[in-house]
């Protein structure tokens, strides 16, 4: 015991000679700077709900689809961004907003048919006695960065491929001003509308330019999208300049609704800009309410 006290006294004396201070374990000295906290990983989820068209699983139970999307926030506390495609303004977005609560901001962007300019409608009427079905489109939800977090809508409309186009595509976007993050949900036309891929190539290039512009202004960017194209098609090459696909190597996301192994195509993507994020792994989850799987990825802010 005496030896231990003697050793402690020697160490204390040496410390004083060297100009250091000794403090009990677990305390910090006055004026000492604590190590900065490690940036917390953020998760993002993108999912095409397959709306209410006749071929869509769960078309008559839209509230269950909204519950499935909102339920991901309960199982993953790091989930901060939800991007949805083929959603209905009332049947899906309204219950999603209610389930997520005031900690989240939800924005819905109605879609137009690029051939006619008409709004795209869901396949079931908007409530009893309604003559015209409700609007269909894309949605994005962002979890606020703390009680004082400010999340606002950011418009993103793409230029038409030619001046005579009746309508163009765009994305549903929200900006979190607290974390300076832009989150967008996009849905490109399918091969029946765009057989040669020229429209998808055009829109992907513009989306890539929007990502680059946001990064240049100091924003982080995360995009979830159903691009209706595989990586082999090459139509989405314009996106890859400033963003990395977090789903690289992930399982296929589209195909028959069930079983999981029946999916054959990877046409859903999750992007994080390479300047603001260090992307982590991505996973694909099976669902029974859509012909698309949920694609989830994580990233750590740089």
């Amino acid at each position: 015991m005496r030896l231990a006290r003697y050793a402690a006294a020697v160490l204390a004396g040496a410390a004083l000679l060297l100009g250091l201070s000794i403090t009990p374990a677990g305390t910090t000295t006055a004026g000492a700077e604590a190590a900065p906290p490690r940036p917390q990983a953020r998760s993002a989820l993108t999912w095409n709900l397959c709306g209410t068209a006749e071929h869509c699983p769960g078309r008559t139970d839209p509230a269950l689809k909204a519950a499935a999307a909102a339920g991901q926030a309960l199982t993953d506390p790091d989930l901060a961004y939800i991007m949805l495609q083929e959603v209905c303004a009332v049947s899906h977005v309204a219950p999603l907003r209610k389930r997520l609560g005031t900690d989240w901001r939800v924005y819905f962007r109605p879609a137009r048919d690029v051939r006619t300019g008409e709004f795209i409608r869901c396949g079931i009427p908007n409530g009893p006695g309604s003559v015209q079905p409700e609007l269909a489109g894309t949605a994005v939800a962002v979890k606020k960065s703390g009680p004082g977090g400010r999340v606002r809508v950011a418009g993103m409309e793409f230029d038409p491929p030619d001046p005579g186009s009746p309508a163009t595509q765009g994305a549903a976007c929200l900006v979190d001003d607290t974390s300076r993050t832009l989150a967008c949900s996009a849905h490109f036309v399918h091969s029946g509308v765009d057989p040669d891929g020229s429209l998808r190539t055009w829109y992907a290039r513009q989306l890539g330019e929007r990502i680059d512009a946001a990064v240049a202004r100091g924003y982080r960017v995360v995009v979830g999208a159903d691009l209706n194209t595989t990586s082999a098609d090459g139509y989405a090459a314009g996106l890859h300049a400033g963003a990395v696909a977090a789903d690289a190597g992930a399982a296929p996301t589209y195909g028959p609704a069930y079983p999981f192994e029946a999916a054959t195509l990877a046409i859903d993507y999750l992007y994080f800009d390479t300047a603001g994020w260090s992307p982590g792994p991505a996973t694909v989850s099976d669902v029974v309410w859509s012909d698309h799987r949920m694609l989830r990825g994580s990233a750590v802010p740089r």
Side-chain angles (χ1 to χ4, degrees):
M1 184 64 70
R2 291 179 179 177
L3 182 60
R5 286 197 296 266
Y6 174 76
V10 171
L11 288 173
L16 290 173
L17 289 174
L18 293 173
L20 303 177
S21 61
I22 294 179
T23 56
T27 65
T28 57
T29 60
E33 294 185 3
R38 182 179 180 182
Q40 183 179 357
R42 291 288 182 266
S43 297
L45 168 74
T46 186
W47 182 33
N48 184 320
L49 271 67
C50 194
T52 57
E54 290 190 6
H55 71 278
C56 291
R59 66 182 298 267
T60 58
D61 295 306
L64 292 180
K65 296 190 180 192
Q72 304 303 306
L74 299 177
T75 60
D76 181 4
D78 294 335
L79 184 64
Y81 314 103
I82 299 175
M83 295 81 167
L84 304 175
Q85 303 84 40
E86 291 191 26
V87 296
C88 304
V90 178
S91 297
H92 299 126
V93 178
L96 175 71
R97 185 178 286 113
K98 183 177 181 180
R99 285 180 175 273
L100 289 176
T102 57
D103 290 341
W104 289 72
R105 175 75 185 272
V106 181
Y107 170 60
F108 167 79
R109 176 190 176 274
R112 292 180 182 269
D113 190 317
V114 299
R115 298 163 295 185
T116 66
E118 298 292 326
F119 281 111
I120 297 175
R121 303 279 175 172
C122 288
I124 57 177
N126 181 12
S130 175
V131 177
Q132 191 173 41
E134 61 189 291
L135 292 172
T138 55
V140 59
V142 172
K143 188 176 183 179
K144 298 175 183 177
S145 299
R150 179 172 180 263
V151 180
R152 56 184 171 85
V153 174
M156 183 179 289
E157 301 298 319
F158 303 143
D159 297 328
D162 61 74
S165 298
T168 186
Q169 294 202 278
C173 299
L174 288 172
V175 171
D176 183 343
D177 285 320
T178 306
S179 64
R180 293 189 64 80
T181 301
L182 171 68
C184 297
S185 174
H187 187 195
F188 288 0
V189 293
H190 54 77
S191 58
V193 177
D194 181 35
D196 63 355
S198 58
L199 282 178
R200 282 167 285 178
T201 301
W202 174 262
Y203 294 136
R205 184 181 300 118
Q206 291 194 58
L207 181 54
E209 291 172 354
R210 303 295 198 280
I211 293 175
D212 293 342
V215 171
R217 296 195 302 271
Y219 287 89
R220 298 185 184 92
V221 181
V222 54
V223 175
D226 172 6
L227 300 182
N228 270 312
T229 178
T230 67
S231 58
D233 296 329
Y235 302 148
L239 273 171
H240 298 311
V244 59
D247 50 302
T253 57
Y254 174 76
Y258 196 81
F260 178 72
E261 292 78 9
T264 57
L265 298 176
I267 59 176
D268 300 276
Y269 297 82
L270 191 57
Y271 291 96
F272 294 96
D273 80 89
T274 53
W277 301 96
S278 296
T283 58
V284 175
S285 302
D286 200 11
V287 292
V288 297
W289 303 283
S290 174
D291 53 1
H292 288 252
R293 274 69 180 164
M294 291 181 179
L295 173 61
R296 184 201 301 271
S298 63
V300 177
R302 292 185 184 278

